[in-house]
Structure formats: structure tokens, C-alpha cells
Amino acid sequence: GNQNQIESENGGELSEKEVKIIDGIVDEAMKTMVPWDDIPCVWDEVVNAVSQRGRRRRRRLGEEGEVTPANNDNVAEWLQVNNRPFTPENLMAISQMLLELMNRWSRHQRVLTIIAGYHREVNRAYLEVTGQLEHAIQEREALKDGNKNNPPLAAAEEGRGEEEAVVRENNEVALEEELTREELREYALDEELVHEADEIALIESQHHNSQGEQAAVANNIVPAGNIPQRSFHIFQASQPKQTGSVIALNWLMGLFEPEQDIAFMENKPDLPVLQNGRQVALEDTIITKTHNIDLIALYNRFRPAFEEIFFVVTMRSNDENASVHPQLCKYKNVLCVEYSELRYADLEGLKKVVADLSQRFRNRFAYFFGDDGSQWLTDGMEASAVRRLEQMEQAKRDMETEPFEAVHFKFGVNGGGRVAVETTVNLQEGESEGGRRRLSVALPNGGCDITWPQPPQGAIQTAYAASYPGCGARMTWNLIEALTGLWTGDDWDNNHRGKRVVSVKTHYPHDAGKLVSWDNEIKRALVIIRNPMGAIPSFFNHIYEIKNHLPIHSERAPVEAWVEWRDKFAENQVMKYGKFVDYWMERFDKFNKDRPIFSYEALTDDIQGPEEAIRMTQFLAQSKGVVPIEEESVPCVWRAVVKYKDQIPDANKRRLNESRRRLDPSHHDSQRSGPTERPYTPEQLLSMVQMLDGLLQKWSARNTRLKEILEGYLSDVNEAYLVVTGQISPEASRSDGDASPHDVAAVEATDTGVAFPGQIGPFHIIQASMPHDMGSIVLTNILMGVFEPNADFTEIQDWPELPVRQHGMMIPIDRTIVSRTTCSDILRMYKKFRPMFDEVFFVISNSGKDPENRFSDELCEYSNVLCLEQEELVYTNKEQMAAVARNVITKFRSNFDFFFGDNPELFDETKQSNAISRLEAMSEVAMRILDKSFDYVDGKYGVHGGVGSPGAVEIIATAPTIASPKGTFDKLGKSFHIFQASPPGTASVVVTNWLMGLFEPDQHYSFMVNQKGRPIRHRGEEVPADTTIVTQTHYLDLMKIYKRFHNDFDEVFFVVSSRGDSEELRINPKLCEYNNVLCLEYEDLIYANRSQLETMVQKLTAIFQDRFGYFFGENSSLLGSESQMNAIQRLEEMDKAVASLSSQPASVIDKKFGVHGGHRSNSNLLEVKPLAANEGDPDFKHMAEDVKKSFHVFAATPPHTASTGEM
């Protein structure tokens, strides 16, 4: 059972005994079940055996002469399972029954998916029975012939000649060798023909719905009034008793957001807003219903986020349990409405109620919207409100037989409700708002109906739909039309729609695309990309089909053909992929909102796909003249377009087989036959790594969405590289249907390992150290001086796949002899790399006395491990430098003589001289880059900028040991735990390390994960809360945390950081009133230098002592100067960790301080992300726009002067 539900029902947590009882029941139950791995076998034995027995039984019937297809046609018909004819009336009845089920159970995704599949099959059968299929086929053939023989198309082609000649001259690879311009044009034309075939298929599969579908309520659009462009929100507030609030609510929504579902604010401490069962931000709606009648509290809470907050209150003045205080109705932003004013008996009465309420609204709130109410609250808006109330009454009728607990998400009416209006006005079939018919008609409960797209009736703002070839351009084309109901076009204008389109598909700047002649009029674009390992082979398959005159999306090229083309053009395509991303990022660099990024993988994913489609809908809705389908029905449209599988009638499949492909992300392009293997060489994969790395370095700080997508692709390419080079075994899964980089049957890796002179086998040396150990650079360069004095620095990253990098590029580990790493899992590295060599050696540098920051003594006892102390790597002059090098070489030779033997030539004076020379060169480089930032890393020696010589005493001297004050607190005789609970982006890592500096300065950080069970993780493992004193978390239900842990400690404290006015970055202010909760503001956590850091620690510690003095007492020595100094030192060490991880991806996390890679800022900006052009301070943004001039500010400062803070 659900433990949270059990706890809620029982009014408390389960006891330890109860938990053990439940666990025992589960364990006993599991013993009776078939093992997981045996389930496929059981299925095969049961299902296949039954099927085979049925076939044998039918054969025996024929052999015994009882009935056979030859002697009894009627019986033969019954033996054919698929031949069960129905009349059109039968099929219509079944269709209507299934549709009613879909509408009723639309909230149950699995049920909806299954029944929707049945519904499509019934509709397909109806098309065949009614004989309408042949007519559709003829229309399709006529359309195809018209496209082939259209004279204007030929004329347009002639007009492109001069332009395309220039394109050909500038191409780096001759188009004739890759794909000729005619073939490129054919590529675009084929996509258009396929796209039109998709439209026919989608329409035919859903056009012949039941009369119940056709009578569904049509969509309505609010006629746009001249509402001032100012931010406001309206609360419809009332007591829970009957006050007519649902009528007032739907009247308001009819005025301002007629197609939205109701939003309801629950009367809970954090005031969550729910819409369609999901929590949403208040800013996402205009109207919110609430039973919280503390209007002043609501106003104070939400007024900072809007220019004004309005309240429309419904009440019964003669009932104190159904009214509000009369004084509230006197406020100018409050409109009080009596229940009697909301009653009506017929349609005319409804219209009068709407007219009267709207006029009162105009008069009451004219101070904000303007004196001329007819301009900002128009007659058209009133008509929209009338229609919504009519629809609400119809919803009441539909729900009369439902239980009272059932709620209609759109109108907020309960089951079993009375009907106030007996007369409604239905919109004529085929009409809709704006004078055009919608492609996707929203049906009740999130359903949808697919019909033909239409040209826009007025002015429209067109956007590009840009994608690299092979990234689902046609799928996106269909989806945009289905979401908007408007025509789409392509860059070649093959469908002759010109500017009358909502979007223009293009592959530009790739050779397969171009910009339209009216390019300067297009100010927006949505961009779709795909993992290059999948996109490039998909593009090649299309080229292969064109060159061989095959139907589109019908056949994959043979592996041999892929390899031949790949070796000629793959790296060129990788380069073009990068140029494609750069172009669309640069074109809208300052306006991310006008250029959203979508990934093909997310668009086709079962979970992410509908959400991505909603995001696409929201983007399209911002274009002038575009009114997409309601968001409630977007998942239905997405399923119809993206998850369109087996929906075409059998007789129609022959006609559309050339163009239809199945869009199942588990097996993309599944109607293509042929091999899926698309192997790459290591060099080609490295070129992808370099390209993706370059894109990440250039754009990750400016577009978080692109960063997440590219990091995922980079991880996939890295994995493929490890497979190809034999460092990991091939995975069973496939990353894409067209491209399966793990299908490496034709691996083409070459052995480029470095051989060490002498009669010894291949080996590798890994220099391992904890993060921030500067002595490790000295040790690494000594070893490189001995074994590969002219090689570049190589590092094994502490990632799950342990990639080996040189100059940022991933390389095979056998191309070097010495690698450096901060990965502390020696055994994991040995297991991975040992099979490639005769031996793998580890040379470890240890520092300090903290066992948490040292490799264990037991590890140092292994024969292939040499441990050195950091003090052995310190030198102040050249003589000491030489002595350090000779000492390391002597210990290395002595420790590993079991492998290298006693041959003096292996470690002669030349080798020692090379090591000393490399150290000298390293020191010179370190001093030369002293003026560079710490982010800069020299590719040959691995030294950072701004540090100086790694061997200098003042640089690598061990920091003073931080004394732990835990013993002092033990004297209290009390146990406690501190949770640092904050939203992300509120400098929570600063708070956590300040607290840990006070109470456990040498400890690694702990984090409570915001997932089921809320586990606490420490150094990657789940641990009990008492493992540490301080735990960080982004889970903000403090009450649940307290209930869970308060029995384990004498007290549980919460230290919370908040930021700005956004609810997403703040905690419920009422929680700050509890005496065991300390709330801090982000501004209190900023520092730019040591002095400011000390001041901040002193101030925070004083606030802590004052807040929690009831527990710790007034003894200031408990958190005195020693504890505060520990906190300061820990925060300084944290800052160094931030700097050292700045070039790493965000997935790399320092286990001691909890900071992750990717931060490039100083300590005062640890969690401040670079602001995009559409983010940041709104006043500054408006000012910059008003200037109407371009400008840039350079913050020019010497290093180490808090320049990032000034920025």
C-alpha cells in the first residue's frame, strides 16, 4: 500500500513494528511469485501454446472431414478469425460506445490508450464498409499528379538557377557526390508529398466519427478587447456554502480565458493552485477560485507579483456562514455580488445576468482598466461569457448521473447538479472562432478530432520550423498543423502556399534547405535537433532511397553503402550539424523566447512528448493570428500525430505505404526494412565529441535547454566511443532506429598504444589524488618525464564511464602511459582498465590527516600501488626539485620491481634528467599563465592559471587542520540535526557549508533526495540521518521532515534560504514563524572577498545563536571564534572546489562540499546562472529596450579583484 496514504488515514506515521510487519508480508508474498527472469518463458508457454493448439485443432477438423474451407464457405468464414463483417450501423454504435468510454475515463492514461486504439480500428472498418476509401485514394492520386506536372513549380525552379549556382560554388563537398540540387529539391518535395499523405491518413482515420462526436461543443475564442497590457489577477472568493460562485467563476473565465480549465487555490499553508489536478503557478492563470476569504492576507501575499489584485466575492448577506465582512466590499479592488444577482431561468435571463455583471465590473475597476469600459470589456467578450455559461449548463446535464464527488475540470461543476438553463444555443457544425475551421477540434475531457488544415483568414506571424535533416521535420510539420489548424509550408514552397502559413520548414544552413525570399519578415523559429549519431544515418537513408528510386521511408541502406558514404561525408556532416546549431542560436541569441529548442528524442518520448507538444503550443500561441487548440487536448493531438500507428485502413496502406512511417521512439522509422547497424570509426566519434564540446562551451551558459540536450548527446557519443574502442561491452539497447551506434559488428578501432622500450609488456600508470591536491600535478609530471617526456597531459574524469581526455578530447587510454585522476575508486578503475594491459599501476599522493580526504592505508599495501605524502613533493629551488624527482623515481623502481625487474637502463640518468626538465618547463608555464583565471588549464602540463608553480611551498602547504567542535556540543547532553532546506538557486550551498563549518568542518556533505522515501545520501550511499549533523535538501515540506525525524533527536532545526519575489525561490513565510526554523535571504549570503566572508559568517552565526538560544543556551563559546574560523576556512575551500570544477559538466559533484561542475563564478555568485536576454531585472530590461541603441559593457579588471561580482 501507499505508506503516505496509510499515514494520512491513520493520522500519524507508521511505527517501526508496523513497518517490519508490512515488510514481512511483502517478502512472503514475493516468495510465491515466478522469478522476474522467468516471466518471458511463462508467457511463451501459455500464450504461444494456446495459439498453437488452436491451429492444430483447426487442422484436425479439416483432416477429419467435418468442415473445411473447400466444402463449406460459411464455416470457412467463421474459421477466419479476422473476417467478421459488420453493418455501418453496427460500427457506428461501437464507435459511439468507445467514444463515450474515452470521454468518461480520459484521466486513466492506460485505459484511454487501449480504447483509443480500438476506436481507430472501428473507424477504419467503417471507411471500408461505407465505400469511402476509394474516393480518398483517387483524390490522393490526383494530388500527386498535380504536384508533378504543375507549371508554376517548374517556373519557380528556373528562377532559382543563378542563386543555386553560387551555392554550388561555395559547397565544401561537391553536391554531385553527396546529393545533387535536384535530389535535394526532390528530398524536400517528397517530404511535402509524404506530409500531405499524412494529412489524408489522419483525416480518414478520424473523420467518420459518431454523431455524438460531431455534436461536441465547439471551441470559442475571446474577441480581443483593448485590455491594458498590465499584469493583474482576479480571485473569485466565496465561503464553501452555495453562493452561486460557480456561475461567477465561469462568467469571469468567459470574459478573460474562456477555454481554460478552472484553477482552484486550496486553503492550505502554502496555498497551492491546482488546475486539471496538477499544481500550477498563479501566474499561469488569470482567474483563480478560492474559499479563503482572508482577502487582506491574499492581497499582501500576491500583490508584489502583479500590478493589481482583484476580488470578485459571491455571498448571501443574510447568512453569516455564506458572506464576508461588509467592510471588505468597500475596497475599490473588491466587487461583491449577491447570490440573487446570479440567478436565471432561461437564456435571456442568462444574457441579462452577464450584461449586468459585466457593467458592474467595468464601473468598479475603471480606475485600473480605464474609464471607457466598452473598449476593454467588449460586447464580444460578454458573448464569450454567455457561451461558456451555456457550456457549463450542458456540462451539468452531462454529469447529472455522476456521483457528487466527480468534478468537471473545465467548468468546476459537480456530479448530480441541477440545471439552471433549459435552452442552449449550439454553434453550427463546421464553424469556429475567428471564422475558420480548426484542424484539431477539442472534445470534452481532453479528446480531439482531426480534420483538414485551413489557410489563415487574416494577417499571421510566420515562424521557421528549423531542423537538421533526419530530425523529424515531417513529424513536426504535421504536429504544428494539428495544433494550430493552419497551413504550414516549406522553404522551397512546394505546396505554393507562400506566406499564408503558420510555419516554414527548413534545414538551412544545411544544403538541403534554404531561407525564403521574405526571410527578413520572419522573427521567430522553433528548432529541432537530434543526436547526430541518429540524424546523420537517417539523412543518408533518405539519400539512398532517392538515388535508388525507392519509396520514401521504405528501406534502410545496406551497411556497406553506409560505410562507403560515411567515410566520404560523415565528418563533413558533423561539421554541418555544428554550423546548423550555431546559426539558429546566433540568429536569436538575445531572444531565447523566440527560438525554443526541441529534441527529437523528447518529442517522441512517451512521457516527455505530450509536455513538449504543450511547450510547442505555447510558443505558437504567441504568434499573431495563431490560436492553437486548448492545452487540455494537446496530448490527444500528440498521440494522433506522433504515436500514429496502424491507423490506416488496409486498402489504403498500399497507396500510402510509400510515405507513412511509424513514429515510435522505441523503434523510429519502423516501416523501413533493412539493417539498423550504423557503425562509426573512433575518429568519427571523436569529431562528434569535439563538435558537441564546442557547442557546449559556446552556448551552455546562454541556453539551459540546449545545454541539457547536448550533454545527453555527448554522453551517448562517449558511450559509443567506449564500445568501439573495446573499453566497454556493447549495450543491448538502441539509441535510435535509424542509427544504432552500439551495433558495432564492423568495429574499426586501431591499436595506437605507446610501447615502452624494453622486454616488458604493455602497462599504464594512473596518478590518483583527492581533489584540490596541488602536489599531484608535480607527481604526474615527474612520471610523464620518465615515461613520455613530450606527451600532453591526460586525465581520467570521475564520471561513471571514466572517460580519458586529452586537450578536452576523449582518447583511448592506450595512447598514453601516464594519466591523472581525482577518482578515488581505485578498484573500479583497475577492473575497467586492467584487461587492456599486462599491469596497471597506481601512484597516489596523500595530504593532510583527515581520513575522509586520504586514500586508506590498506590500499597502499597492494603491490601495484605506491603511496606518497604531499610533503615529499615540496621544493623551494632547483636542487630540491631534482631531489624530489629522484626520490619519486627511486620509490617507483623499488615498489614495482616485480614487473620492471632490476634493469638499470629503464630508470637511468637520462630518464631522471627528463623528469627534472619537465618539472622546470612546468614551472615556467605556471608562472607564464599566472595572470590567467583558474579556469585556464595548460594542455601539456595540466597546471591551472592564477596559481603559480605547483611545487612551491607556499602553494601546496597543507592548510591548518580544522578542529571539530562536536565534542563541545556533546557536553549539552542533547541530540539535534539541522536540515538546510531551500529551493535551488538560493545560495543554499553557501548556507550548508557555513553550517558544516560550525558543526562538522571535515565532514562530507549529505543530501536528502526529493523522491519517494526521501533517502539521505552521503558520499553516494544511503545513510541514516545521524551520520552527519547537517543535511541539505530541496524538499520543502518541513512539516513532513519534522514528523519523520523528531523522534530520533531532541530537536530538529531548519535553516532556509530564499531569494527574490518568485514563489519558486521562496518558502512559505508562515513556516519562518516556528521557533526551530531560521529563514535567511539570498542577499545575506553574498560575499566578494575574505573580509566580507568573515563579516557574513559572524552575522549568520549571531542570528543562529539568537534564534536557537532556547536549545543551545546563552553560552557563546559553543559557537565562538574557533567554530566561526572553521566555517570561514570551509567556505574558502568550497570556493576552490568551485573553481577546480568550473570546466567540468554539471553532473560532476564534489562529494565534500556539494558543489557541481559548470560554475565559473566567484564565491559570491555560486548559484547565479548567466541571465538570458529575456531574464533578469524587468526595469533594466525595459530601460534597455527604450534606449533603441545597441551597447556592450566590458568589466576590465586584474585577476582576483571580484570582477565576477561586478559583472
Side-chain angles (χ1 to χ4, degrees), residues 734-795:
R734 297 291 181 261
S735 64
D736 257 327
D738 256 337
S740 299
H742 303 317
D743 287 347
V744 287
V747 174
E748 300 177 40
T750 57
D751 182 12
T752 55
V754 180
F756 188 71
Q759 301 300 316
I760 55 177
F763 63 92
H764 195 83
I765 304 169
I766 298 176
Q767 194 285 303
S769 62
M770 293 292 181
H772 328 307
D773 183 348
M774 297 301 294
S776 65
I777 296 294
V778 174
L779 184 52
T780 301
N781 279 282
I782 292 174
L783 295 170
M784 293 184 70
V786 173
F787 294 102
E788 43 184 0
N790 298 315
D792 290 340
F793 179 80
T794 305
E795 184 169 20

Side-chain angles (χ1 to χ4, degrees), residues 72 362 477 740 783 1090:
N72 191 327
R362 292 187 187 99
W477 195 341
S740 299
L783 295 170
R1090 171 69 183 239

Side-chain angles (χ1 to χ4, degrees), residues 356-377:
D356 293 343
L357 291 176
S358 300
Q359 189 56 45
R360 288 192 61 191
F361 190 98
R362 292 187 187 99
N363 297 338
R364 188 69 172 175
F365 303 139
Y367 77 92
F368 181 86
F369 294 103
D371 293 331
D372 190 352
S374 63
Q375 292 296 314
W376 54 265
L377 203 165

Side-chain angles (χ1 to χ4, degrees), residues 207-344:
H207 181 66
H208 298 284
N209 290 327
S210 67
Q211 295 179 358
E213 281 184 276
Q214 295 171 350
V217 177
N219 303 319
N220 297 300
I221 299 296
V222 181
N226 294 320
I227 298 176
Q229 297 300 308
R230 302 172 66 183
S231 63
F232 64 95
H233 196 85
I234 304 172
F235 283 98
Q236 195 286 302
S238 66
Q239 294 271 33
K241 292 190 68 174
Q242 176 63 265
T243 61
S245 61
V246 72
I247 297 174
L249 176 65
N250 281 283
W251 157 64
L252 289 168
M253 296 193 68
L255 294 177
F256 294 100
E257 43 186 5
E259 297 307 320
Q260 284 290 335
D261 293 346
I262 67 160
F264 182 80
M265 176 178 287
E266 294 188 299
N267 197 11
K268 294 182 178 180
D270 55 343
L271 298 176
V273 178
L274 302 180
Q275 189 177 52
N276 203 9
R278 295 176 297 180
Q279 188 165 340
V280 298
L282 189 69
E283 295 83 356
D284 292 342
T285 66
I286 299 175
I287 316 294
T288 299
K289 177 177 175 57
T290 181
H291 290 316
N292 184 345
I293 59 171
D294 189 352
L295 307 190
I296 295 177
L298 290 174
Y299 183 86
N300 291 333
R301 170 77 180 274
F302 298 108
R303 173 60 178 78
F306 301 91
E307 292 184 60
E308 187 59 286
I309 296 288
F310 301 101
F311 298 90
V312 176
V313 181
T314 56
M315 55 192 293
R316 294 173 185 254
S317 297
N318 57 355
D319 185 351
E320 65 179 10
N321 294 321
S323 63
V324 298
H325 195 284
Q327 192 67 27
L328 290 172
C329 298
K330 296 181 181 180
Y331 286 92
K332 66 178 181 179
N333 61 330
V334 178
L335 172 61
C336 292
V337 180
E338 285 289 340
Y339 174 69
S340 57
E341 297 176 84
L342 299 167
R343 302 187 66 179
Y344 51 86

Side-chain angles (χ1 to χ4, degrees), residues 529-554:
I529 59 176
R530 182 181 184 180
N531 192 317
M533 289 193 299
I536 294 173
S538 180
F539 178 48
F540 166 69
N541 282 336
H542 206 111
I543 295 173
Y544 178 84
E545 288 165 339
I546 293 173
K547 285 184 174 292
N548 291 276
H549 309 289
L550 297 170
I552 302 304
H553 296 292
S554 64

